[in-house]
Amino acid sequence: MTAEARSGVSPRRRPPSAPMGGARYYLVLFLVLVGMLLLAGRIVTLHVIDRSFLQGQGDARTLRTESLTAHRGMISDRNGEPLAISTPVVTLWANPQEVPEDRIQRLMLAQALNMSPDDLDARLERFSEREFMYLRRQLTPEAAQRVLGLRMAGVYAQHEYKRYYPAGEVTAQLLGVTNVDDLGQEGVELAYQPYLAGTPGQRRVIKDRRGRLVRDLAILREAQPGGELVLSIDQRLQYMAYRELKAAVAEHEADGGVVVMMDARTGEVLAMANQPSYNPNNRAGLDPRGLRNQAIVDVFEPGSVMKPLAMAAIMESGQFDLDVVVDTSPGWMMLDRFTIRDIRNYGRLDLAGILEKSSNIGMSRLVLELDEPLVPELYRRLGFGQSTETGFPGEAVGHMPAPVRWSRSQWAALSYGYGLSVSALQLASAYTALANDGVRMPPSLLRLPEAPAGTPTIDPVIAHNLLRIMEESVQPGTGGRRAAVPGYRVAGKTGTVRKTSASGYEQNAYRSLFAGVAPVSDPRIVTIVMIDHPRAGDYFGGAVAAPVFSRVTGGALRLLDVPPDQRIR
């Protein structure tokens, strides 16, 4: 036993050896350093190596590129009066998965949207698996604010534009319409869609996970507004033409009608009215017939309004002078098993008398004396059977029979306006040749900076002589007397043509026409009037269409400050 044991004193413990304690310390230190190095490496990896990837992932969840709607270009008349403008509207949409299911909140939302709660619930249920649905399209900002003011989760706004037409039904068929996405669907809106639409812009924004805007970051591309379009239409004349046409269609219980007014010097269309029509600002209960711009897309047999044009070809042949007399007795003739008739036996008529009495027999006998098919050749030079090249959607070219099919009866029929089909716009363009020293002006729906060259078509002397003859057809006691305009010299021609169907010519169904020029001393206006199937008694062009011509043309001459060229009797 040791001395310490014997004395009862416990021996002192030895402290841990220095080498053992140092190893643990350095081990812990090593682990800490390794952890710091790994952390630093990870930080470097995230901020340097994977920075672009992670930034992209973050941006994908917060950054958005939104489209900036381009303002659609305005359409105006020749004097700058707006015909089609775009107004700001708000479209409301929702994420059905975020819309609260609380009954009170949904009831408030339905009331603000002017919907029944059941309809709203049904729509939300139908789109419950999606993240997008429309609530209301194209609301006024005030109406949209009533909904947005609820601050309801899952309801968002999208700013758009809606087309508005100040003239309403007066210019409906010419302008056409846009759809809910502001894309042109008819008329000028469709024809010039790329020009009017402009180019949408883009902006970059930050949104939260619910799609709410947090911050605008930058405009990536400014929206480029659409171009402005200036039409040749004069809104004052357009209103007047539409008013008179609508009144005539109602008075005669007709199916519809057309008025085309053209500047004789430039070919610009000053008015183009159609019946029936529709309100492009409210298309509920729309009659599909009202969509058609009949003046351009519909064709018809023109009848006797073609006789002055056929007479131009007859006179240009050099085989007849103004004093030639044609015997139209007995008022009818057989030709290729067809019977050609006048209303009555007019006996012997000179060229002016043939036009004044509108004699089919007289025209037929003159044409059959020609050595060549001069009448159809002139018709082609006047633009019939060809595009008017206005660019209007659905424009009709009409029909001219092929030369190989011409027979004697067909030659005769062409001279009094049967056997071919034309549009009202083509007819107006052809009449500019009579009003413009024999030069036909191509029609234009756009305002022109200057008059085009035109196409010389008729000998100027013959054009002047025909105007004088046609002026006699509008004097008291003639069939066209109702087309007269007090204070102005008017030249024109009536027309009454039977309508056709799949089974041939219809019984007791007619189109009433009048085509004229004013004032004769210095022609400014060419006007075409067509009333389709008048049922209230009268159906002759002189009784139905001529009065419309008188009121429309007379009003236009006064509005355009054209000096009177005739002493009022």
Side-chain angles (χ1 to χ4, degrees), residues 32-65:
V32 171
L33 290 175
V34 170
M36 292 179 65
L37 288 173
L38 291 174
L39 181 60
R42 184 59 177 164
I43 291 174
V44 171
T45 300
L46 294 176
H47 284 77
V48 178
I49 299 175
D50 292 338
R51 178 182 178 84
S52 59
F53 171 77
L54 295 174
Q55 184 69 43
Q57 292 296 308
D59 290 347
R61 289 162 174 77
T62 59
L63 286 182
R64 297 286 187 272
T65 299

PDB file of all heavy atoms in Angstrom, residues 32-65:
ATOM      1  N   VAL A  32     -16.071  22.846 -39.374  1.00  0.00           N
ATOM      2  CA  VAL A  32     -16.639  24.182 -39.554  1.00  0.00           C
ATOM      3  C   VAL A  32     -16.119  24.829 -40.824  1.00  0.00           C
ATOM      4  O   VAL A  32     -16.861  25.426 -41.603  1.00  0.00           O
ATOM      5  CB  VAL A  32     -16.322  25.059 -38.332  1.00  0.00           C
ATOM      6  CG1 VAL A  32     -16.713  26.522 -38.608  1.00  0.00           C
ATOM      7  CG2 VAL A  32     -17.060  24.561 -37.115  1.00  0.00           C
ATOM      8  N   LEU A  33     -14.814  24.692 -41.050  1.00  0.00           N
ATOM      9  CA  LEU A  33     -14.231  25.278 -42.250  1.00  0.00           C
ATOM     10  C   LEU A  33     -14.776  24.629 -43.514  1.00  0.00           C
ATOM     11  O   LEU A  33     -15.068  25.305 -44.499  1.00  0.00           O
ATOM     12  CB  LEU A  33     -12.708  25.141 -42.208  1.00  0.00           C
ATOM     13  CG  LEU A  33     -11.986  26.002 -41.169  1.00  0.00           C
ATOM     14  CD1 LEU A  33     -10.499  25.680 -41.137  1.00  0.00           C
ATOM     15  CD2 LEU A  33     -12.189  27.478 -41.473  1.00  0.00           C
ATOM     16  N   VAL A  34     -14.916  23.287 -43.456  1.00  0.00           N
ATOM     17  CA  VAL A  34     -15.486  22.596 -44.618  1.00  0.00           C
ATOM     18  C   VAL A  34     -16.914  23.071 -44.894  1.00  0.00           C
ATOM     19  O   VAL A  34     -17.310  23.313 -46.042  1.00  0.00           O
ATOM     20  CB  VAL A  34     -15.442  21.074 -44.428  1.00  0.00           C
ATOM     21  CG1 VAL A  34     -16.252  20.367 -45.514  1.00  0.00           C
ATOM     22  CG2 VAL A  34     -14.015  20.573 -44.439  1.00  0.00           C
ATOM     23  N   GLY A  35     -17.700  23.206 -43.814  1.00  0.00           N
ATOM     24  CA  GLY A  35     -19.071  23.681 -43.982  1.00  0.00           C
ATOM     25  C   GLY A  35     -19.112  25.082 -44.576  1.00  0.00           C
ATOM     26  O   GLY A  35     -19.938  25.382 -45.443  1.00  0.00           O
ATOM     27  N   MET A  36     -18.182  25.935 -44.090  1.00  0.00           N
ATOM     28  CA  MET A  36     -18.148  27.292 -44.612  1.00  0.00           C
ATOM     29  C   MET A  36     -17.744  27.294 -46.079  1.00  0.00           C
ATOM     30  O   MET A  36     -18.267  28.069 -46.888  1.00  0.00           O
ATOM     31  CB  MET A  36     -17.181  28.146 -43.794  1.00  0.00           C
ATOM     32  CG  MET A  36     -17.663  28.400 -42.365  1.00  0.00           C
ATOM     33  SD  MET A  36     -16.497  29.375 -41.401  1.00  0.00           S
ATOM     34  CE  MET A  36     -16.555  30.917 -42.283  1.00  0.00           C
ATOM     35  N   LEU A  37     -16.771  26.425 -46.411  1.00  0.00           N
ATOM     36  CA  LEU A  37     -16.346  26.341 -47.803  1.00  0.00           C
ATOM     37  C   LEU A  37     -17.485  25.833 -48.691  1.00  0.00           C
ATOM     38  O   LEU A  37     -17.696  26.333 -49.809  1.00  0.00           O
ATOM     39  CB  LEU A  37     -15.121  25.423 -47.929  1.00  0.00           C
ATOM     40  CG  LEU A  37     -13.812  25.988 -47.388  1.00  0.00           C
ATOM     41  CD1 LEU A  37     -12.720  24.919 -47.427  1.00  0.00           C
ATOM     42  CD2 LEU A  37     -13.377  27.215 -48.192  1.00  0.00           C
ATOM     43  N   LEU A  38     -18.219  24.818 -48.190  1.00  0.00           N
ATOM     44  CA  LEU A  38     -19.352  24.322 -48.966  1.00  0.00           C
ATOM     45  C   LEU A  38     -20.421  25.395 -49.139  1.00  0.00           C
ATOM     46  O   LEU A  38     -21.011  25.553 -50.215  1.00  0.00           O
ATOM     47  CB  LEU A  38     -19.957  23.088 -48.288  1.00  0.00           C
ATOM     48  CG  LEU A  38     -19.092  21.830 -48.306  1.00  0.00           C
ATOM     49  CD1 LEU A  38     -19.742  20.725 -47.471  1.00  0.00           C
ATOM     50  CD2 LEU A  38     -18.895  21.349 -49.742  1.00  0.00           C
ATOM     51  N   LEU A  39     -20.677  26.138 -48.049  1.00  0.00           N
ATOM     52  CA  LEU A  39     -21.657  27.205 -48.124  1.00  0.00           C
ATOM     53  C   LEU A  39     -21.215  28.293 -49.094  1.00  0.00           C
ATOM     54  O   LEU A  39     -21.994  28.781 -49.912  1.00  0.00           O
ATOM     55  CB  LEU A  39     -21.892  27.798 -46.736  1.00  0.00           C
ATOM     56  CG  LEU A  39     -22.930  28.929 -46.641  1.00  0.00           C
ATOM     57  CD1 LEU A  39     -24.281  28.431 -47.109  1.00  0.00           C
ATOM     58  CD2 LEU A  39     -23.005  29.465 -45.218  1.00  0.00           C
ATOM     59  N   ALA A  40     -19.912  28.641 -48.988  1.00  0.00           N
ATOM     60  CA  ALA A  40     -19.377  29.651 -49.917  1.00  0.00           C
ATOM     61  C   ALA A  40     -19.449  29.156 -51.355  1.00  0.00           C
ATOM     62  O   ALA A  40     -19.790  29.902 -52.277  1.00  0.00           O
ATOM     63  CB  ALA A  40     -17.940  30.000 -49.538  1.00  0.00           C
ATOM     64  N   GLY A  41     -19.151  27.869 -51.540  1.00  0.00           N
ATOM     65  CA  GLY A  41     -19.227  27.312 -52.886  1.00  0.00           C
ATOM     66  C   GLY A  41     -20.649  27.336 -53.427  1.00  0.00           C
ATOM     67  O   GLY A  41     -20.876  27.619 -54.611  1.00  0.00           O
ATOM     68  N   ARG A  42     -21.577  27.016 -52.525  1.00  0.00           N
ATOM     69  CA  ARG A  42     -22.969  27.037 -52.960  1.00  0.00           C
ATOM     70  C   ARG A  42     -23.410  28.451 -53.325  1.00  0.00           C
ATOM     71  O   ARG A  42     -24.142  28.662 -54.308  1.00  0.00           O
ATOM     72  CB  ARG A  42     -23.864  26.482 -51.837  1.00  0.00           C
ATOM     73  CG  ARG A  42     -25.338  26.382 -52.227  1.00  0.00           C
ATOM     74  CD  ARG A  42     -25.518  25.496 -53.426  1.00  0.00           C
ATOM     75  NE  ARG A  42     -26.923  25.319 -53.781  1.00  0.00           N
ATOM     76  CZ  ARG A  42     -27.340  24.858 -54.929  1.00  0.00           C
ATOM     77  NH1 ARG A  42     -26.452  24.533 -55.879  1.00  0.00           N
ATOM     78  NH2 ARG A  42     -28.634  24.727 -55.161  1.00  0.00           N
ATOM     79  N   ILE A  43     -22.942  29.408 -52.490  1.00  0.00           N
ATOM     80  CA  ILE A  43     -23.291  30.801 -52.779  1.00  0.00           C
ATOM     81  C   ILE A  43     -22.712  31.223 -54.124  1.00  0.00           C
ATOM     82  O   ILE A  43     -23.375  31.881 -54.934  1.00  0.00           O
ATOM     83  CB  ILE A  43     -22.776  31.714 -51.655  1.00  0.00           C
ATOM     84  CG1 ILE A  43     -23.579  31.451 -50.372  1.00  0.00           C
ATOM     85  CG2 ILE A  43     -22.879  33.189 -52.058  1.00  0.00           C
ATOM     86  CD1 ILE A  43     -23.056  32.184 -49.164  1.00  0.00           C
ATOM     87  N   VAL A  44     -21.454  30.837 -54.366  1.00  0.00           N
ATOM     88  CA  VAL A  44     -20.835  31.159 -55.650  1.00  0.00           C
ATOM     89  C   VAL A  44     -21.602  30.492 -56.788  1.00  0.00           C
ATOM     90  O   VAL A  44     -21.852  31.090 -57.845  1.00  0.00           O
ATOM     91  CB  VAL A  44     -19.354  30.720 -55.655  1.00  0.00           C
ATOM     92  CG1 VAL A  44     -18.768  30.844 -57.057  1.00  0.00           C
ATOM     93  CG2 VAL A  44     -18.557  31.562 -54.669  1.00  0.00           C
ATOM     94  N   THR A  45     -21.999  29.221 -56.569  1.00  0.00           N
ATOM     95  CA  THR A  45     -22.742  28.506 -57.607  1.00  0.00           C
ATOM     96  C   THR A  45     -24.064  29.204 -57.921  1.00  0.00           C
ATOM     97  O   THR A  45     -24.425  29.399 -59.086  1.00  0.00           O
ATOM     98  CB  THR A  45     -23.018  27.060 -57.170  1.00  0.00           C
ATOM     99  OG1 THR A  45     -21.771  26.398 -56.953  1.00  0.00           O
ATOM    100  CG2 THR A  45     -23.801  26.310 -58.232  1.00  0.00           C
ATOM    101  N   LEU A  46     -24.778  29.592 -56.870  1.00  0.00           N
ATOM    102  CA  LEU A  46     -26.076  30.217 -57.072  1.00  0.00           C
ATOM    103  C   LEU A  46     -25.951  31.594 -57.702  1.00  0.00           C
ATOM    104  O   LEU A  46     -26.773  31.985 -58.527  1.00  0.00           O
ATOM    105  CB  LEU A  46     -26.827  30.328 -55.743  1.00  0.00           C
ATOM    106  CG  LEU A  46     -27.246  29.004 -55.088  1.00  0.00           C
ATOM    107  CD1 LEU A  46     -27.879  29.275 -53.741  1.00  0.00           C
ATOM    108  CD2 LEU A  46     -28.220  28.255 -55.992  1.00  0.00           C
ATOM    109  N   HIS A  47     -24.931  32.376 -57.296  1.00  0.00           N
ATOM    110  CA  HIS A  47     -24.814  33.750 -57.745  1.00  0.00           C
ATOM    111  C   HIS A  47     -23.992  33.915 -59.011  1.00  0.00           C
ATOM    112  O   HIS A  47     -24.061  34.967 -59.650  1.00  0.00           O
ATOM    113  CB  HIS A  47     -24.207  34.618 -56.638  1.00  0.00           C
ATOM    114  CG  HIS A  47     -25.181  34.938 -55.545  1.00  0.00           C
ATOM    115  ND1 HIS A  47     -25.529  34.034 -54.559  1.00  0.00           N
ATOM    116  CD2 HIS A  47     -25.904  36.074 -55.295  1.00  0.00           C
ATOM    117  CE1 HIS A  47     -26.398  34.584 -53.737  1.00  0.00           C
ATOM    118  NE2 HIS A  47     -26.649  35.821 -54.160  1.00  0.00           N
ATOM    119  N   VAL A  48     -23.233  32.907 -59.359  1.00  0.00           N
ATOM    120  CA  VAL A  48     -22.380  33.049 -60.537  1.00  0.00           C
ATOM    121  C   VAL A  48     -22.723  32.008 -61.595  1.00  0.00           C
ATOM    122  O   VAL A  48     -23.099  32.336 -62.725  1.00  0.00           O
ATOM    123  CB  VAL A  48     -20.887  32.945 -60.155  1.00  0.00           C
ATOM    124  CG1 VAL A  48     -20.007  33.041 -61.404  1.00  0.00           C
ATOM    125  CG2 VAL A  48     -20.519  34.022 -59.146  1.00  0.00           C
ATOM    126  N   ILE A  49     -22.619  30.740 -61.198  1.00  0.00           N
ATOM    127  CA  ILE A  49     -22.787  29.682 -62.192  1.00  0.00           C
ATOM    128  C   ILE A  49     -24.243  29.513 -62.591  1.00  0.00           C
ATOM    129  O   ILE A  49     -24.582  29.469 -63.772  1.00  0.00           O
ATOM    130  CB  ILE A  49     -22.210  28.352 -61.645  1.00  0.00           C
ATOM    131  CG1 ILE A  49     -20.721  28.519 -61.357  1.00  0.00           C
ATOM    132  CG2 ILE A  49     -22.440  27.220 -62.645  1.00  0.00           C
ATOM    133  CD1 ILE A  49     -20.080  27.312 -60.706  1.00  0.00           C
ATOM    134  N   ASP A  50     -25.137  29.421 -61.588  1.00  0.00           N
ATOM    135  CA  ASP A  50     -26.560  29.183 -61.886  1.00  0.00           C
ATOM    136  C   ASP A  50     -27.386  30.464 -61.873  1.00  0.00           C
ATOM    137  O   ASP A  50     -28.615  30.420 -61.840  1.00  0.00           O
ATOM    138  CB  ASP A  50     -27.152  28.207 -60.853  1.00  0.00           C
ATOM    139  CG  ASP A  50     -26.561  26.812 -60.988  1.00  0.00           C
ATOM    140  OD1 ASP A  50     -26.055  26.520 -62.077  1.00  0.00           O
ATOM    141  OD2 ASP A  50     -26.623  26.049 -60.015  1.00  0.00           O
ATOM    142  N   ARG A  51     -26.712  31.600 -61.900  1.00  0.00           N
ATOM    143  CA  ARG A  51     -27.442  32.866 -61.753  1.00  0.00           C
ATOM    144  C   ARG A  51     -28.496  33.054 -62.846  1.00  0.00           C
ATOM    145  O   ARG A  51     -29.659  33.366 -62.564  1.00  0.00           O
ATOM    146  CB  ARG A  51     -26.455  34.028 -61.781  1.00  0.00           C
ATOM    147  CG  ARG A  51     -27.154  35.390 -61.681  1.00  0.00           C
ATOM    148  CD  ARG A  51     -26.130  36.517 -61.752  1.00  0.00           C
ATOM    149  NE  ARG A  51     -26.783  37.803 -61.708  1.00  0.00           N
ATOM    150  CZ  ARG A  51     -27.152  38.432 -60.605  1.00  0.00           C
ATOM    151  NH1 ARG A  51     -26.907  37.858 -59.429  1.00  0.00           N
ATOM    152  NH2 ARG A  51     -27.759  39.601 -60.638  1.00  0.00           N
ATOM    153  N   SER A  52     -28.101  32.864 -64.103  1.00  0.00           N
ATOM    154  CA  SER A  52     -29.045  33.111 -65.201  1.00  0.00           C
ATOM    155  C   SER A  52     -30.222  32.155 -65.140  1.00  0.00           C
ATOM    156  O   SER A  52     -31.369  32.543 -65.388  1.00  0.00           O
ATOM    157  CB  SER A  52     -28.330  32.993 -66.546  1.00  0.00           C
ATOM    158  OG  SER A  52     -27.769  31.698 -66.694  1.00  0.00           O
ATOM    159  N   PHE A  53     -29.945  30.879 -64.806  1.00  0.00           N
ATOM    160  CA  PHE A  53     -31.036  29.907 -64.724  1.00  0.00           C
ATOM    161  C   PHE A  53     -32.015  30.275 -63.619  1.00  0.00           C
ATOM    162  O   PHE A  53     -33.234  30.301 -63.823  1.00  0.00           O
ATOM    163  CB  PHE A  53     -30.461  28.510 -64.480  1.00  0.00           C
ATOM    164  CG  PHE A  53     -31.509  27.479 -64.159  1.00  0.00           C
ATOM    165  CD1 PHE A  53     -32.301  26.944 -65.153  1.00  0.00           C
ATOM    166  CD2 PHE A  53     -31.713  27.058 -62.843  1.00  0.00           C
ATOM    167  CE1 PHE A  53     -33.280  26.012 -64.852  1.00  0.00           C
ATOM    168  CE2 PHE A  53     -32.690  26.127 -62.545  1.00  0.00           C
ATOM    169  CZ  PHE A  53     -33.472  25.591 -63.557  1.00  0.00           C
ATOM    170  N   LEU A  54     -31.460  30.582 -62.438  1.00  0.00           N
ATOM    171  CA  LEU A  54     -32.329  30.902 -61.305  1.00  0.00           C
ATOM    172  C   LEU A  54     -33.062  32.222 -61.522  1.00  0.00           C
ATOM    173  O   LEU A  54     -34.222  32.363 -61.137  1.00  0.00           O
ATOM    174  CB  LEU A  54     -31.500  30.967 -60.026  1.00  0.00           C
ATOM    175  CG  LEU A  54     -30.869  29.628 -59.603  1.00  0.00           C
ATOM    176  CD1 LEU A  54     -29.960  29.839 -58.410  1.00  0.00           C
ATOM    177  CD2 LEU A  54     -31.951  28.622 -59.258  1.00  0.00           C
ATOM    178  N   GLN A  55     -32.349  33.181 -62.139  1.00  0.00           N
ATOM    179  CA  GLN A  55     -33.010  34.451 -62.431  1.00  0.00           C
ATOM    180  C   GLN A  55     -34.182  34.223 -63.374  1.00  0.00           C
ATOM    181  O   GLN A  55     -35.260  34.809 -63.222  1.00  0.00           O
ATOM    182  CB  GLN A  55     -32.012  35.422 -63.069  1.00  0.00           C
ATOM    183  CG  GLN A  55     -32.591  36.808 -63.317  1.00  0.00           C
ATOM    184  CD  GLN A  55     -32.866  37.559 -62.032  1.00  0.00           C
ATOM    185  OE1 GLN A  55     -32.039  37.537 -61.114  1.00  0.00           O
ATOM    186  NE2 GLN A  55     -34.022  38.191 -61.940  1.00  0.00           N
ATOM    187  N   GLY A  56     -33.961  33.359 -64.365  1.00  0.00           N
ATOM    188  CA  GLY A  56     -35.032  33.047 -65.307  1.00  0.00           C
ATOM    189  C   GLY A  56     -36.201  32.377 -64.624  1.00  0.00           C
ATOM    190  O   GLY A  56     -37.357  32.674 -64.926  1.00  0.00           O
ATOM    191  N   GLN A  57     -35.898  31.460 -63.708  1.00  0.00           N
ATOM    192  CA  GLN A  57     -36.977  30.799 -62.985  1.00  0.00           C
ATOM    193  C   GLN A  57     -37.761  31.772 -62.115  1.00  0.00           C
ATOM    194  O   GLN A  57     -38.985  31.716 -62.036  1.00  0.00           O
ATOM    195  CB  GLN A  57     -36.404  29.669 -62.112  1.00  0.00           C
ATOM    196  CG  GLN A  57     -35.840  28.500 -62.903  1.00  0.00           C
ATOM    197  CD  GLN A  57     -36.921  27.791 -63.693  1.00  0.00           C
ATOM    198  OE1 GLN A  57     -37.943  27.413 -63.160  1.00  0.00           O
ATOM    199  NE2 GLN A  57     -36.678  27.619 -64.986  1.00  0.00           N
ATOM    200  N   GLY A  58     -37.052  32.680 -61.485  1.00  0.00           N
ATOM    201  CA  GLY A  58     -37.737  33.669 -60.665  1.00  0.00           C
ATOM    202  C   GLY A  58     -38.577  34.617 -61.502  1.00  0.00           C
ATOM    203  O   GLY A  58     -39.713  34.929 -61.156  1.00  0.00           O
ATOM    204  N   ASP A  59     -37.969  35.049 -62.621  1.00  0.00           N
ATOM    205  CA  ASP A  59     -38.709  35.953 -63.495  1.00  0.00           C
ATOM    206  C   ASP A  59     -39.955  35.281 -64.059  1.00  0.00           C
ATOM    207  O   ASP A  59     -40.996  35.925 -64.245  1.00  0.00           O
ATOM    208  CB  ASP A  59     -37.818  36.413 -64.652  1.00  0.00           C
ATOM    209  CG  ASP A  59     -36.710  37.359 -64.168  1.00  0.00           C
ATOM    210  OD1 ASP A  59     -36.803  37.823 -63.018  1.00  0.00           O
ATOM    211  OD2 ASP A  59     -35.773  37.613 -64.950  1.00  0.00           O
ATOM    212  N   ALA A  60     -39.848  33.991 -64.348  1.00  0.00           N
ATOM    213  CA  ALA A  60     -40.989  33.269 -64.908  1.00  0.00           C
ATOM    214  C   ALA A  60     -42.162  33.264 -63.946  1.00  0.00           C
ATOM    215  O   ALA A  60     -43.314  33.144 -64.371  1.00  0.00           O
ATOM    216  CB  ALA A  60     -40.593  31.841 -65.254  1.00  0.00           C
ATOM    217  N   ARG A  61     -41.885  33.397 -62.669  1.00  0.00           N
ATOM    218  CA  ARG A  61     -42.949  33.370 -61.671  1.00  0.00           C
ATOM    219  C   ARG A  61     -43.456  34.755 -61.293  1.00  0.00           C
ATOM    220  O   ARG A  61     -44.509  34.886 -60.683  1.00  0.00           O
ATOM    221  CB  ARG A  61     -42.464  32.635 -60.432  1.00  0.00           C
ATOM    222  CG  ARG A  61     -42.316  31.134 -60.656  1.00  0.00           C
ATOM    223  CD  ARG A  61     -41.446  30.475 -59.591  1.00  0.00           C
ATOM    224  NE  ARG A  61     -41.431  29.027 -59.750  1.00  0.00           N
ATOM    225  CZ  ARG A  61     -40.729  28.371 -60.660  1.00  0.00           C
ATOM    226  NH1 ARG A  61     -39.972  29.041 -61.529  1.00  0.00           N
ATOM    227  NH2 ARG A  61     -40.769  27.054 -60.726  1.00  0.00           N
ATOM    228  N   THR A  62     -42.695  35.785 -61.657  1.00  0.00           N
ATOM    229  CA  THR A  62     -43.097  37.141 -61.268  1.00  0.00           C
ATOM    230  C   THR A  62     -43.172  38.107 -62.443  1.00  0.00           C
ATOM    231  O   THR A  62     -44.040  38.967 -62.466  1.00  0.00           O
ATOM    232  CB  THR A  62     -42.125  37.708 -60.221  1.00  0.00           C
ATOM    233  OG1 THR A  62     -40.795  37.717 -60.766  1.00  0.00           O
ATOM    234  CG2 THR A  62     -42.141  36.857 -58.955  1.00  0.00           C
ATOM    235  N   LEU A  63     -42.264  37.979 -63.414  1.00  0.00           N
ATOM    236  CA  LEU A  63     -42.251  38.895 -64.552  1.00  0.00           C
ATOM    237  C   LEU A  63     -43.249  38.440 -65.607  1.00  0.00           C
ATOM    238  O   LEU A  63     -43.363  37.256 -65.891  1.00  0.00           O
ATOM    239  CB  LEU A  63     -40.861  38.975 -65.172  1.00  0.00           C
ATOM    240  CG  LEU A  63     -39.794  39.752 -64.391  1.00  0.00           C
ATOM    241  CD1 LEU A  63     -38.495  39.765 -65.170  1.00  0.00           C
ATOM    242  CD2 LEU A  63     -40.249  41.179 -64.124  1.00  0.00           C
ATOM    243  N   ARG A  64     -43.946  39.399 -66.180  1.00  0.00           N
ATOM    244  CA  ARG A  64     -44.889  39.104 -67.243  1.00  0.00           C
ATOM    245  C   ARG A  64     -44.695  40.109 -68.380  1.00  0.00           C
ATOM    246  O   ARG A  64     -44.371  41.276 -68.143  1.00  0.00           O
ATOM    247  CB  ARG A  64     -46.335  39.197 -66.744  1.00  0.00           C
ATOM    248  CG  ARG A  64     -46.692  38.196 -65.659  1.00  0.00           C
ATOM    249  CD  ARG A  64     -46.846  36.793 -66.220  1.00  0.00           C
ATOM    250  NE  ARG A  64     -47.339  35.881 -65.216  1.00  0.00           N
ATOM    251  CZ  ARG A  64     -46.573  35.212 -64.371  1.00  0.00           C
ATOM    252  NH1 ARG A  64     -45.251  35.397 -64.402  1.00  0.00           N
ATOM    253  NH2 ARG A  64     -47.103  34.390 -63.501  1.00  0.00           N
ATOM    254  N   THR A  65     -44.894  39.633 -69.590  1.00  0.00           N
ATOM    255  CA  THR A  65     -44.917  40.516 -70.755  1.00  0.00           C
ATOM    256  C   THR A  65     -46.352  40.624 -71.228  1.00  0.00           C
ATOM    257  O   THR A  65     -46.952  39.632 -71.625  1.00  0.00           O
ATOM    258  CB  THR A  65     -44.016  39.981 -71.884  1.00  0.00           C
ATOM    259  OG1 THR A  65     -42.671  39.907 -71.413  1.00  0.00           O
ATOM    260  CG2 THR A  65     -44.068  40.906 -73.093  1.00  0.00           C
TER     261      THR A  65
END
